[in-house]
Amino acid sequence: AKLKKLEEWLRNRLRYCIWHHWKKPERKRKNLIRLGVNQNTAYAWSRTRMGGWAVAQSPILGTTITIKRLRMRGYVSLIEYYKRDV
């Protein structure tokens, strides 16, 4: 259970880092569109006044920066890694 909680927190932290890395609203908008969000929603979220951590936990990043996409980028799940060693 603790490993699962840590896993969830870590994924949120990765989403936060990605969001923070995009820096400017225009880049955030373009990247959200690239991830499949419609233009109006992307515009609204790119200019939100919410903090990065709040955005990382929001549905917008949870549905766009998915576990599958993180895995494609080389992220190895802690649970998978643990099961491989045991």
Side-chain angles (χ1 to χ4, degrees):
K2 285 188 178 186
L3 192 60
K4 191 172 185 226
K5 283 279 187 203
L6 181 65
E7 176 81 31
E8 289 170 12
W9 183 89
L10 196 57
R11 279 197 306 268
N12 275 331
R13 183 65 186 178
L14 285 170
R15 289 182 182 117
Y16 165 80
C17 290
I18 292 166
W19 184 255
H20 193 71
H21 184 74
W22 291 345
K23 292 184 179 180
K24 296 178 181 170
E26 191 56 27
R27 191 172 304 146
K28 289 175 183 176
R29 185 184 69 79
K30 284 182 179 174
N31 285 327
L32 285 173
I33 290 168
R34 205 174 285 145
L35 289 170
V37 177
N38 75 53
Q39 290 192 349
N40 293 333
T41 308
Y43 182 86
W45 275 100
S46 68
R47 279 150 176 84
T48 183
R49 296 190 48 128
M50 291 167 67
W53 188 245
V55 174
Q57 294 176 6
S58 71
I60 195 74
L61 288 191
T63 56
T64 54
I65 304 174
T66 59
I67 299 169
K68 184 180 173 187
R69 282 203 167 110
L70 289 172
R71 197 176 290 129
M72 282 170 33
R73 288 289 187 182
Y75 171 71
V76 179
S77 164
L78 293 176
I79 296 166
E80 288 173 18
Y81 192 78
Y82 178 75
K83 286 179 181 175
R84 198 178 338 161
D85 282 358
V86 173

